[in-house]
Amino acid sequence: MKRKLVWIVFLVVMAIPAKPGNVITLVDVRYTLSCDLSQPGEVNKAWDHLHSLATLQGIVNREAPQLYIKFVEESGVCIDEYWWSKYRQPHQWLAGKDTLLLNTILETIAFYKDRINGVVVYDPAVASTSNVASAVAGIENLMAVRYDPSPGSLYSQVVEQGLHLPVKVWLVHPDGTSLFTGKGTIPDTNLPSTGSVKNDPYIWFREKYMKTGKCNTEYAAYYIDQYWKKRPTAAVRNHHTLSNHDFFVARKAFFFDLSPWGDEPATDDLSQPTGTDLQTLQSLLQCAYEQNKGEKFCYIGGFPSWAFKYTQHAGGKHEDVATEWEFSKIISAYNAFKDADAIAYGALANASFWQHFPLKKKYKQPWTSKKELQQRGYLSEDGKVNVNNRNFIIFYVGDYDASSWITQRTPSLWDDPNRGKVPLMWCISPVLQERVPMVLHNFRQTATPNDYFAAADNGAGYLMPGMLQEPRPLSGFKSGLDAWAKHCKKYYDTWGLTITGFVIDGFAPGLDKNGLDCYASFSPNGIVPQKVPLTLLHGNMPVLRADWDINDPDPAKAARLIVERIKARPVPFHWFRNILKSPTWYKQVVTELKKLDPTIELLDAPAFFELYRIYLRENPQAAAGFIEGK
């Protein structure tokens, strides 16, 4: 009840009729989360309302923050209300801004109808047209609407009756028959059909919008299409991820939902020739690469919708992580990375609004010195590492390579009252500043001396850097390492980052000399890849091979696993990856470790990596990568 009262207090209902641009409007669409997903009509309502609203929001918020929605909930907390309330406080960004509550989606559309050129109508029988509609909406300033002339549908209310918005683009014939059939010639082109009704709309979009330069190929969105309606309960209720569309509509991005596998038909399009999805995916990525002239990276929001498609969960033959890695490998070959809105916490709302949040120019972080390490007893007077049978550990506090994950989990993890009790290396992708700058800013403003920040996998975005090295499999393009270094350096400089906490090599080649040189140019204080020797000093950059994931919810069991692993390794420096663990969990693990083995010590990130660098200099075999070990 208190949250509801706070929200109402913050609303300033205007005494005179409000106009778009004068106020921030708010609309609550959490009612869609209560739709009965066993009823087709209710499924359509949940889908249609969010899709049309997200495309409208992207256009309205393109130049300035104006339309805000309440949608995402996590563990009883309305995440959108949480962030809104934080920045409505005195002296914060939204303090004192005039706001107006809009009660329904129709009221919202009516309020902003003069801000759009009309609508793009898509085909309920061809799932992929929903994604193409989002892309067209952003480029043509249109709202996406699913064709459905039944009484009470959103289409009937905004197109056929009521608002009578003009249809500017039809992705279905006006009589409801399909425009894309998977046969003959792709509409508006001279190209033969791919043989797939799913893929033809993407090729149509590529020809009409990408090759002509109308699409902003620096941004792409990989979200599930309206196939979601067939299995709406396969994941959490909000994982149609329609609320994520607004940012990419605002940026005039291209949208897709395609399988990365070339050895089987896509699980949602079994009649297609094997590998058609992959061919289309590569053609879109290649077009983006060419439009970006190989100099800029394509920012892809989203993640394989593995609970719905393309994996063993949906009748395919591939596992979840394998699908994640295959997709990552492919996009990396074309100079693209992902902001990984993965299932569970994949929904994100209002990124088109928050993109306007004013960040500081620099967020600096201190490093340590030999003198400080000596004072703390880690270096002897002559500057040598004072190991004395001690083992030093560092936790990779993750996974924060996704705007949606970090935004949803801030209340339960960052706000934990035990944060600051033990040193933690928070590994956050700095590219998240594009969609959720307010989250990253909040972390820095409220950090304790025990909170230190490094980059998440694999720098400023999740790709597999081995695919940037020549010769480049799949694409055959020139090296992308210089472009990656330039891309990452900008973000690392802004956030004061010098460590890359984890490098997922996955199905890609490991880092060679050129790849290591690339990382040394922007991550000089350390990296933790998978496909490297156990220990390595590359120039002056310490390299430590990634080790075990420790995610047992029981701190005592987690501590026993850490002790077991440390005993098996021949070096005194150890890295462990943890996913969405609370500061309370880390504090309890450290307490358990002290009981089991008091020689194990958790270090802050600067001390860990600086001591490791000095250790490598003192041990030539370790520095050269010759130390054997698990």
Side-chain angles (χ1 to χ4, degrees), residues 87 357-366 433 437-446 452-453 491-497:
Y87 287 105
F357 181 88
L359 291 171
K360 294 163 60 175
K361 289 185 177 180
K362 297 279 186 181
Y363 294 82
K364 297 181 180 179
Q365 290 196 105
Q433 75 170 63
M438 77 293 186
V439 180
L440 275 61
H441 175 82
N442 175 63
F443 276 32
R444 291 305 180 91
Q445 295 300 105
T446 58
Y452 196 85
F453 299 92
Y491 291 98
Y492 277 55
D493 286 349
T494 296
W495 296 98
L497 303 175

PDB file of all heavy atoms in Angstrom, residues 87 357-366 433 437-446 452-453 491-497:
ATOM      1  N   TYR A  87      14.626   8.269  -8.811  1.00  0.00           N
ATOM      2  CA  TYR A  87      15.063   9.495  -9.475  1.00  0.00           C
ATOM      3  C   TYR A  87      14.012  10.606  -9.430  1.00  0.00           C
ATOM      4  O   TYR A  87      14.210  11.662 -10.024  1.00  0.00           O
ATOM      5  CB  TYR A  87      15.503   9.182 -10.905  1.00  0.00           C
ATOM      6  CG  TYR A  87      16.841   8.463 -10.902  1.00  0.00           C
ATOM      7  CD1 TYR A  87      16.924   7.100 -11.155  1.00  0.00           C
ATOM      8  CD2 TYR A  87      18.001   9.157 -10.603  1.00  0.00           C
ATOM      9  CE1 TYR A  87      18.138   6.441 -11.118  1.00  0.00           C
ATOM     10  CE2 TYR A  87      19.224   8.511 -10.557  1.00  0.00           C
ATOM     11  CZ  TYR A  87      19.292   7.152 -10.817  1.00  0.00           C
ATOM     12  OH  TYR A  87      20.506   6.519 -10.763  1.00  0.00           O
ATOM     13  N   PHE A 357      19.084   9.735 -19.703  1.00  0.00           N
ATOM     14  CA  PHE A 357      19.617  10.044 -18.369  1.00  0.00           C
ATOM     15  C   PHE A 357      21.008  10.663 -18.487  1.00  0.00           C
ATOM     16  O   PHE A 357      21.871  10.144 -19.204  1.00  0.00           O
ATOM     17  CB  PHE A 357      19.687   8.768 -17.526  1.00  0.00           C
ATOM     18  CG  PHE A 357      20.191   8.993 -16.126  1.00  0.00           C
ATOM     19  CD1 PHE A 357      19.309   9.332 -15.119  1.00  0.00           C
ATOM     20  CD2 PHE A 357      21.543   8.879 -15.833  1.00  0.00           C
ATOM     21  CE1 PHE A 357      19.770   9.548 -13.829  1.00  0.00           C
ATOM     22  CE2 PHE A 357      22.011   9.088 -14.547  1.00  0.00           C
ATOM     23  CZ  PHE A 357      21.114   9.428 -13.533  1.00  0.00           C
ATOM     24  N   PRO A 358      21.269  11.770 -17.786  1.00  0.00           N
ATOM     25  CA  PRO A 358      22.560  12.459 -17.920  1.00  0.00           C
ATOM     26  C   PRO A 358      23.661  11.835 -17.067  1.00  0.00           C
ATOM     27  O   PRO A 358      23.685  11.984 -15.843  1.00  0.00           O
ATOM     28  CB  PRO A 358      22.236  13.880 -17.431  1.00  0.00           C
ATOM     29  CG  PRO A 358      21.130  13.682 -16.439  1.00  0.00           C
ATOM     30  CD  PRO A 358      20.315  12.509 -16.923  1.00  0.00           C
ATOM     31  N   LEU A 359      24.569  11.139 -17.695  1.00  0.00           N
ATOM     32  CA  LEU A 359      25.714  10.560 -17.008  1.00  0.00           C
ATOM     33  C   LEU A 359      26.809  11.603 -16.801  1.00  0.00           C
ATOM     34  O   LEU A 359      26.896  12.592 -17.528  1.00  0.00           O
ATOM     35  CB  LEU A 359      26.282   9.391 -17.810  1.00  0.00           C
ATOM     36  CG  LEU A 359      25.428   8.130 -17.911  1.00  0.00           C
ATOM     37  CD1 LEU A 359      26.049   7.159 -18.919  1.00  0.00           C
ATOM     38  CD2 LEU A 359      25.261   7.457 -16.555  1.00  0.00           C
ATOM     39  N   LYS A 360      27.670  11.340 -15.835  1.00  0.00           N
ATOM     40  CA  LYS A 360      28.878  12.138 -15.682  1.00  0.00           C
ATOM     41  C   LYS A 360      29.849  11.779 -16.809  1.00  0.00           C
ATOM     42  O   LYS A 360      29.753  10.704 -17.413  1.00  0.00           O
ATOM     43  CB  LYS A 360      29.513  11.848 -14.323  1.00  0.00           C
ATOM     44  CG  LYS A 360      28.682  12.300 -13.143  1.00  0.00           C
ATOM     45  CD  LYS A 360      29.119  11.655 -11.841  1.00  0.00           C
ATOM     46  CE  LYS A 360      30.561  11.978 -11.487  1.00  0.00           C
ATOM     47  NZ  LYS A 360      30.931  11.429 -10.164  1.00  0.00           N
ATOM     48  N   LYS A 361      30.780  12.646 -17.089  1.00  0.00           N
ATOM     49  CA  LYS A 361      31.757  12.360 -18.145  1.00  0.00           C
ATOM     50  C   LYS A 361      32.686  11.221 -17.757  1.00  0.00           C
ATOM     51  O   LYS A 361      33.082  10.416 -18.604  1.00  0.00           O
ATOM     52  CB  LYS A 361      32.562  13.616 -18.469  1.00  0.00           C
ATOM     53  CG  LYS A 361      31.770  14.693 -19.200  1.00  0.00           C
ATOM     54  CD  LYS A 361      32.660  15.861 -19.590  1.00  0.00           C
ATOM     55  CE  LYS A 361      31.856  16.900 -20.378  1.00  0.00           C
ATOM     56  NZ  LYS A 361      32.706  18.064 -20.772  1.00  0.00           N
ATOM     57  N   LYS A 362      33.047  11.143 -16.479  1.00  0.00           N
ATOM     58  CA  LYS A 362      33.982  10.120 -16.020  1.00  0.00           C
ATOM     59  C   LYS A 362      33.546   9.582 -14.659  1.00  0.00           C
ATOM     60  O   LYS A 362      33.055  10.334 -13.806  1.00  0.00           O
ATOM     61  CB  LYS A 362      35.394  10.702 -15.872  1.00  0.00           C
ATOM     62  CG  LYS A 362      36.020  11.204 -17.163  1.00  0.00           C
ATOM     63  CD  LYS A 362      36.608  10.071 -17.987  1.00  0.00           C
ATOM     64  CE  LYS A 362      37.361  10.621 -19.197  1.00  0.00           C
ATOM     65  NZ  LYS A 362      37.930   9.539 -20.026  1.00  0.00           N
ATOM     66  N   TYR A 363      33.737   8.291 -14.467  1.00  0.00           N
ATOM     67  CA  TYR A 363      33.543   7.648 -13.172  1.00  0.00           C
ATOM     68  C   TYR A 363      34.875   6.966 -12.836  1.00  0.00           C
ATOM     69  O   TYR A 363      35.162   5.876 -13.324  1.00  0.00           O
ATOM     70  CB  TYR A 363      32.406   6.632 -13.229  1.00  0.00           C
ATOM     71  CG  TYR A 363      31.044   7.251 -13.464  1.00  0.00           C
ATOM     72  CD1 TYR A 363      30.616   7.589 -14.752  1.00  0.00           C
ATOM     73  CD2 TYR A 363      30.191   7.502 -12.400  1.00  0.00           C
ATOM     74  CE1 TYR A 363      29.370   8.158 -14.970  1.00  0.00           C
ATOM     75  CE2 TYR A 363      28.926   8.073 -12.610  1.00  0.00           C
ATOM     76  CZ  TYR A 363      28.531   8.394 -13.896  1.00  0.00           C
ATOM     77  OH  TYR A 363      27.292   8.958 -14.105  1.00  0.00           O
ATOM     78  N   LYS A 364      35.671   7.625 -12.022  1.00  0.00           N
ATOM     79  CA  LYS A 364      37.035   7.150 -11.787  1.00  0.00           C
ATOM     80  C   LYS A 364      37.072   6.090 -10.699  1.00  0.00           C
ATOM     81  O   LYS A 364      36.220   6.031  -9.815  1.00  0.00           O
ATOM     82  CB  LYS A 364      37.927   8.331 -11.413  1.00  0.00           C
ATOM     83  CG  LYS A 364      38.067   9.370 -12.508  1.00  0.00           C
ATOM     84  CD  LYS A 364      38.984  10.511 -12.085  1.00  0.00           C
ATOM     85  CE  LYS A 364      39.118  11.541 -13.200  1.00  0.00           C
ATOM     86  NZ  LYS A 364      40.002  12.677 -12.801  1.00  0.00           N
ATOM     87  N   GLN A 365      38.099   5.240 -10.771  1.00  0.00           N
ATOM     88  CA  GLN A 365      38.356   4.236  -9.749  1.00  0.00           C
ATOM     89  C   GLN A 365      39.849   4.234  -9.415  1.00  0.00           C
ATOM     90  O   GLN A 365      40.683   4.338 -10.319  1.00  0.00           O
ATOM     91  CB  GLN A 365      37.981   2.831 -10.224  1.00  0.00           C
ATOM     92  CG  GLN A 365      36.504   2.564 -10.371  1.00  0.00           C
ATOM     93  CD  GLN A 365      36.212   1.080 -10.461  1.00  0.00           C
ATOM     94  OE1 GLN A 365      35.739   0.485  -9.507  1.00  0.00           O
ATOM     95  NE2 GLN A 365      36.498   0.472 -11.594  1.00  0.00           N
ATOM     96  N   PRO A 366      40.181   4.098  -8.140  1.00  0.00           N
ATOM     97  CA  PRO A 366      41.603   4.069  -7.771  1.00  0.00           C
ATOM     98  C   PRO A 366      42.224   2.698  -8.019  1.00  0.00           C
ATOM     99  O   PRO A 366      41.535   1.679  -8.017  1.00  0.00           O
ATOM    100  CB  PRO A 366      41.574   4.392  -6.280  1.00  0.00           C
ATOM    101  CG  PRO A 366      40.255   3.815  -5.816  1.00  0.00           C
ATOM    102  CD  PRO A 366      39.305   4.030  -6.968  1.00  0.00           C
ATOM    103  N   GLN A 433      25.283   1.110 -20.331  1.00  0.00           N
ATOM    104  CA  GLN A 433      24.948   2.528 -20.202  1.00  0.00           C
ATOM    105  C   GLN A 433      24.035   2.998 -21.332  1.00  0.00           C
ATOM    106  O   GLN A 433      23.368   4.027 -21.196  1.00  0.00           O
ATOM    107  CB  GLN A 433      26.218   3.383 -20.203  1.00  0.00           C
ATOM    108  CG  GLN A 433      26.862   3.551 -21.569  1.00  0.00           C
ATOM    109  CD  GLN A 433      27.973   4.578 -21.582  1.00  0.00           C
ATOM    110  OE1 GLN A 433      28.975   4.414 -20.906  1.00  0.00           O
ATOM    111  NE2 GLN A 433      27.803   5.637 -22.371  1.00  0.00           N
ATOM    112  N   PRO A 437      21.463   3.607 -18.212  1.00  0.00           N
ATOM    113  CA  PRO A 437      22.508   4.437 -17.602  1.00  0.00           C
ATOM    114  C   PRO A 437      22.228   4.767 -16.140  1.00  0.00           C
ATOM    115  O   PRO A 437      23.153   4.908 -15.332  1.00  0.00           O
ATOM    116  CB  PRO A 437      22.502   5.696 -18.471  1.00  0.00           C
ATOM    117  CG  PRO A 437      21.149   5.740 -19.104  1.00  0.00           C
ATOM    118  CD  PRO A 437      20.790   4.312 -19.330  1.00  0.00           C
ATOM    119  N   MET A 438      20.954   4.849 -15.789  1.00  0.00           N
ATOM    120  CA  MET A 438      20.596   5.215 -14.415  1.00  0.00           C
ATOM    121  C   MET A 438      21.022   4.145 -13.423  1.00  0.00           C
ATOM    122  O   MET A 438      21.332   4.436 -12.259  1.00  0.00           O
ATOM    123  CB  MET A 438      19.092   5.501 -14.314  1.00  0.00           C
ATOM    124  CG  MET A 438      18.179   4.297 -14.278  1.00  0.00           C
ATOM    125  SD  MET A 438      18.152   3.345 -15.830  1.00  0.00           S
ATOM    126  CE  MET A 438      16.854   2.145 -15.442  1.00  0.00           C
ATOM    127  N   VAL A 439      21.061   2.876 -13.868  1.00  0.00           N
ATOM    128  CA  VAL A 439      21.475   1.785 -12.994  1.00  0.00           C
ATOM    129  C   VAL A 439      22.974   1.888 -12.719  1.00  0.00           C
ATOM    130  O   VAL A 439      23.423   1.826 -11.558  1.00  0.00           O
ATOM    131  CB  VAL A 439      21.138   0.418 -13.618  1.00  0.00           C
ATOM    132  CG1 VAL A 439      21.577  -0.704 -12.684  1.00  0.00           C
ATOM    133  CG2 VAL A 439      19.649   0.307 -13.913  1.00  0.00           C
ATOM    134  N   LEU A 440      23.751   2.045 -13.760  1.00  0.00           N
ATOM    135  CA  LEU A 440      25.203   2.129 -13.585  1.00  0.00           C
ATOM    136  C   LEU A 440      25.585   3.351 -12.758  1.00  0.00           C
ATOM    137  O   LEU A 440      26.486   3.286 -11.917  1.00  0.00           O
ATOM    138  CB  LEU A 440      25.904   2.152 -14.944  1.00  0.00           C
ATOM    139  CG  LEU A 440      26.175   0.779 -15.585  1.00  0.00           C
ATOM    140  CD1 LEU A 440      24.885   0.018 -15.854  1.00  0.00           C
ATOM    141  CD2 LEU A 440      26.979   0.920 -16.871  1.00  0.00           C
ATOM    142  N   HIS A 441      24.905   4.464 -12.998  1.00  0.00           N
ATOM    143  CA  HIS A 441      25.163   5.674 -12.216  1.00  0.00           C
ATOM    144  C   HIS A 441      24.841   5.436 -10.742  1.00  0.00           C
ATOM    145  O   HIS A 441      25.622   5.814  -9.855  1.00  0.00           O
ATOM    146  CB  HIS A 441      24.312   6.819 -12.760  1.00  0.00           C
ATOM    147  CG  HIS A 441      24.402   8.080 -11.974  1.00  0.00           C
ATOM    148  ND1 HIS A 441      25.436   8.986 -12.126  1.00  0.00           N
ATOM    149  CD2 HIS A 441      23.597   8.597 -11.008  1.00  0.00           C
ATOM    150  CE1 HIS A 441      25.259  10.002 -11.303  1.00  0.00           C
ATOM    151  NE2 HIS A 441      24.149   9.786 -10.610  1.00  0.00           N
ATOM    152  N   ASN A 442      23.715   4.799 -10.465  1.00  0.00           N
ATOM    153  CA  ASN A 442      23.326   4.517  -9.084  1.00  0.00           C
ATOM    154  C   ASN A 442      24.361   3.652  -8.381  1.00  0.00           C
ATOM    155  O   ASN A 442      24.704   3.893  -7.204  1.00  0.00           O
ATOM    156  CB  ASN A 442      21.966   3.816  -9.064  1.00  0.00           C
ATOM    157  CG  ASN A 442      21.555   3.379  -7.678  1.00  0.00           C
ATOM    158  OD1 ASN A 442      21.368   4.181  -6.778  1.00  0.00           O
ATOM    159  ND2 ASN A 442      21.412   2.071  -7.493  1.00  0.00           N
ATOM    160  N   PHE A 443      24.888   2.662  -9.073  1.00  0.00           N
ATOM    161  CA  PHE A 443      25.898   1.800  -8.472  1.00  0.00           C
ATOM    162  C   PHE A 443      27.110   2.613  -8.046  1.00  0.00           C
ATOM    163  O   PHE A 443      27.639   2.448  -6.942  1.00  0.00           O
ATOM    164  CB  PHE A 443      26.318   0.709  -9.457  1.00  0.00           C
ATOM    165  CG  PHE A 443      25.409  -0.497  -9.475  1.00  0.00           C
ATOM    166  CD1 PHE A 443      24.047  -0.376  -9.227  1.00  0.00           C
ATOM    167  CD2 PHE A 443      25.911  -1.759  -9.762  1.00  0.00           C
ATOM    168  CE1 PHE A 443      23.210  -1.477  -9.248  1.00  0.00           C
ATOM    169  CE2 PHE A 443      25.082  -2.868  -9.788  1.00  0.00           C
ATOM    170  CZ  PHE A 443      23.729  -2.730  -9.525  1.00  0.00           C
ATOM    171  N   ARG A 444      27.561   3.480  -8.926  1.00  0.00           N
ATOM    172  CA  ARG A 444      28.769   4.252  -8.599  1.00  0.00           C
ATOM    173  C   ARG A 444      28.515   5.264  -7.484  1.00  0.00           C
ATOM    174  O   ARG A 444      29.388   5.524  -6.659  1.00  0.00           O
ATOM    175  CB  ARG A 444      29.286   4.954  -9.853  1.00  0.00           C
ATOM    176  CG  ARG A 444      29.850   3.997 -10.896  1.00  0.00           C
ATOM    177  CD  ARG A 444      30.943   3.094 -10.302  1.00  0.00           C
ATOM    178  NE  ARG A 444      31.483   2.188 -11.275  1.00  0.00           N
ATOM    179  CZ  ARG A 444      32.545   2.456 -12.036  1.00  0.00           C
ATOM    180  NH1 ARG A 444      33.142   3.632 -11.943  1.00  0.00           N
ATOM    181  NH2 ARG A 444      32.989   1.562 -12.896  1.00  0.00           N
ATOM    182  N   GLN A 445      27.327   5.840  -7.465  1.00  0.00           N
ATOM    183  CA  GLN A 445      27.023   6.854  -6.462  1.00  0.00           C
ATOM    184  C   GLN A 445      26.839   6.251  -5.073  1.00  0.00           C
ATOM    185  O   GLN A 445      27.018   6.944  -4.062  1.00  0.00           O
ATOM    186  CB  GLN A 445      25.768   7.627  -6.857  1.00  0.00           C
ATOM    187  CG  GLN A 445      25.911   8.461  -8.123  1.00  0.00           C
ATOM    188  CD  GLN A 445      26.993   9.514  -8.020  1.00  0.00           C
ATOM    189  OE1 GLN A 445      28.069   9.372  -8.597  1.00  0.00           O
ATOM    190  NE2 GLN A 445      26.736  10.569  -7.271  1.00  0.00           N
ATOM    191  N   THR A 446      26.475   4.993  -4.997  1.00  0.00           N
ATOM    192  CA  THR A 446      26.168   4.374  -3.702  1.00  0.00           C
ATOM    193  C   THR A 446      27.157   3.275  -3.325  1.00  0.00           C
ATOM    194  O   THR A 446      26.938   2.564  -2.339  1.00  0.00           O
ATOM    195  CB  THR A 446      24.743   3.793  -3.721  1.00  0.00           C
ATOM    196  OG1 THR A 446      24.625   2.833  -4.785  1.00  0.00           O
ATOM    197  CG2 THR A 446      23.706   4.893  -3.933  1.00  0.00           C
ATOM    198  N   TYR A 452      34.185  -2.772  -5.957  1.00  0.00           N
ATOM    199  CA  TYR A 452      35.065  -2.391  -7.071  1.00  0.00           C
ATOM    200  C   TYR A 452      34.460  -2.942  -8.356  1.00  0.00           C
ATOM    201  O   TYR A 452      33.810  -3.985  -8.347  1.00  0.00           O
ATOM    202  CB  TYR A 452      36.480  -2.942  -6.879  1.00  0.00           C
ATOM    203  CG  TYR A 452      37.493  -2.261  -7.768  1.00  0.00           C
ATOM    204  CD1 TYR A 452      38.087  -1.069  -7.383  1.00  0.00           C
ATOM    205  CD2 TYR A 452      37.833  -2.800  -9.000  1.00  0.00           C
ATOM    206  CE1 TYR A 452      39.002  -0.422  -8.205  1.00  0.00           C
ATOM    207  CE2 TYR A 452      38.747  -2.166  -9.830  1.00  0.00           C
ATOM    208  CZ  TYR A 452      39.327  -0.972  -9.425  1.00  0.00           C
ATOM    209  OH  TYR A 452      40.226  -0.326 -10.240  1.00  0.00           O
ATOM    210  N   PHE A 453      34.702  -2.235  -9.460  1.00  0.00           N
ATOM    211  CA  PHE A 453      34.035  -2.573 -10.711  1.00  0.00           C
ATOM    212  C   PHE A 453      35.014  -2.996 -11.791  1.00  0.00           C
ATOM    213  O   PHE A 453      36.043  -2.351 -12.007  1.00  0.00           O
ATOM    214  CB  PHE A 453      33.200  -1.384 -11.200  1.00  0.00           C
ATOM    215  CG  PHE A 453      32.129  -0.983 -10.226  1.00  0.00           C
ATOM    216  CD1 PHE A 453      32.372  -0.011  -9.271  1.00  0.00           C
ATOM    217  CD2 PHE A 453      30.899  -1.624 -10.245  1.00  0.00           C
ATOM    218  CE1 PHE A 453      31.393   0.343  -8.358  1.00  0.00           C
ATOM    219  CE2 PHE A 453      29.915  -1.281  -9.328  1.00  0.00           C
ATOM    220  CZ  PHE A 453      30.158  -0.294  -8.378  1.00  0.00           C
ATOM    221  N   TYR A 491      34.238   3.070 -23.590  1.00  0.00           N
ATOM    222  CA  TYR A 491      33.431   2.739 -22.421  1.00  0.00           C
ATOM    223  C   TYR A 491      34.295   2.528 -21.175  1.00  0.00           C
ATOM    224  O   TYR A 491      33.906   2.936 -20.070  1.00  0.00           O
ATOM    225  CB  TYR A 491      32.596   1.490 -22.696  1.00  0.00           C
ATOM    226  CG  TYR A 491      31.497   1.695 -23.703  1.00  0.00           C
ATOM    227  CD1 TYR A 491      31.648   1.328 -25.040  1.00  0.00           C
ATOM    228  CD2 TYR A 491      30.282   2.260 -23.326  1.00  0.00           C
ATOM    229  CE1 TYR A 491      30.632   1.511 -25.962  1.00  0.00           C
ATOM    230  CE2 TYR A 491      29.252   2.449 -24.241  1.00  0.00           C
ATOM    231  CZ  TYR A 491      29.440   2.070 -25.557  1.00  0.00           C
ATOM    232  OH  TYR A 491      28.422   2.259 -26.479  1.00  0.00           O
ATOM    233  N   TYR A 492      35.432   1.886 -21.328  1.00  0.00           N
ATOM    234  CA  TYR A 492      36.327   1.657 -20.179  1.00  0.00           C
ATOM    235  C   TYR A 492      36.806   2.987 -19.614  1.00  0.00           C
ATOM    236  O   TYR A 492      36.897   3.155 -18.396  1.00  0.00           O
ATOM    237  CB  TYR A 492      37.521   0.806 -20.614  1.00  0.00           C
ATOM    238  CG  TYR A 492      37.268  -0.689 -20.629  1.00  0.00           C
ATOM    239  CD1 TYR A 492      36.216  -1.238 -21.357  1.00  0.00           C
ATOM    240  CD2 TYR A 492      38.094  -1.565 -19.937  1.00  0.00           C
ATOM    241  CE1 TYR A 492      35.989  -2.601 -21.396  1.00  0.00           C
ATOM    242  CE2 TYR A 492      37.885  -2.937 -19.958  1.00  0.00           C
ATOM    243  CZ  TYR A 492      36.827  -3.451 -20.689  1.00  0.00           C
ATOM    244  OH  TYR A 492      36.614  -4.816 -20.714  1.00  0.00           O
ATOM    245  N   ASP A 493      37.117   3.931 -20.480  1.00  0.00           N
ATOM    246  CA  ASP A 493      37.569   5.237 -20.011  1.00  0.00           C
ATOM    247  C   ASP A 493      36.475   5.961 -19.233  1.00  0.00           C
ATOM    248  O   ASP A 493      36.741   6.613 -18.223  1.00  0.00           O
ATOM    249  CB  ASP A 493      38.024   6.106 -21.195  1.00  0.00           C
ATOM    250  CG  ASP A 493      39.362   5.669 -21.765  1.00  0.00           C
ATOM    251  OD1 ASP A 493      40.032   4.836 -21.133  1.00  0.00           O
ATOM    252  OD2 ASP A 493      39.726   6.156 -22.852  1.00  0.00           O
ATOM    253  N   THR A 494      35.249   5.861 -19.715  1.00  0.00           N
ATOM    254  CA  THR A 494      34.141   6.517 -19.013  1.00  0.00           C
ATOM    255  C   THR A 494      33.973   5.981 -17.611  1.00  0.00           C
ATOM    256  O   THR A 494      33.768   6.750 -16.651  1.00  0.00           O
ATOM    257  CB  THR A 494      32.826   6.331 -19.789  1.00  0.00           C
ATOM    258  OG1 THR A 494      32.932   6.987 -21.054  1.00  0.00           O
ATOM    259  CG2 THR A 494      31.638   6.899 -19.014  1.00  0.00           C
ATOM    260  N   TRP A 495      34.080   4.662 -17.460  1.00  0.00           N
ATOM    261  CA  TRP A 495      33.767   4.023 -16.180  1.00  0.00           C
ATOM    262  C   TRP A 495      34.987   3.665 -15.349  1.00  0.00           C
ATOM    263  O   TRP A 495      34.858   3.015 -14.308  1.00  0.00           O
ATOM    264  CB  TRP A 495      32.895   2.795 -16.423  1.00  0.00           C
ATOM    265  CG  TRP A 495      31.579   3.178 -17.006  1.00  0.00           C
ATOM    266  CD1 TRP A 495      31.201   3.147 -18.324  1.00  0.00           C
ATOM    267  CD2 TRP A 495      30.463   3.734 -16.296  1.00  0.00           C
ATOM    268  NE1 TRP A 495      29.929   3.632 -18.475  1.00  0.00           N
ATOM    269  CE2 TRP A 495      29.445   4.000 -17.248  1.00  0.00           C
ATOM    270  CE3 TRP A 495      30.223   4.025 -14.950  1.00  0.00           C
ATOM    271  CZ2 TRP A 495      28.215   4.546 -16.879  1.00  0.00           C
ATOM    272  CZ3 TRP A 495      29.002   4.564 -14.589  1.00  0.00           C
ATOM    273  CH2 TRP A 495      28.023   4.823 -15.548  1.00  0.00           C
ATOM    274  N   GLY A 496      36.190   4.062 -15.783  1.00  0.00           N
ATOM    275  CA  GLY A 496      37.389   3.800 -14.993  1.00  0.00           C
ATOM    276  C   GLY A 496      37.717   2.330 -14.875  1.00  0.00           C
ATOM    277  O   GLY A 496      38.203   1.863 -13.837  1.00  0.00           O
ATOM    278  N   LEU A 497      37.483   1.571 -15.932  1.00  0.00           N
ATOM    279  CA  LEU A 497      37.695   0.123 -15.918  1.00  0.00           C
ATOM    280  C   LEU A 497      39.069  -0.225 -16.466  1.00  0.00           C
ATOM    281  O   LEU A 497      39.499   0.327 -17.482  1.00  0.00           O
ATOM    282  CB  LEU A 497      36.625  -0.581 -16.754  1.00  0.00           C
ATOM    283  CG  LEU A 497      35.175  -0.320 -16.360  1.00  0.00           C
ATOM    284  CD1 LEU A 497      34.229  -0.990 -17.352  1.00  0.00           C
ATOM    285  CD2 LEU A 497      34.886  -0.799 -14.943  1.00  0.00           C
TER     286      LEU A 497
END
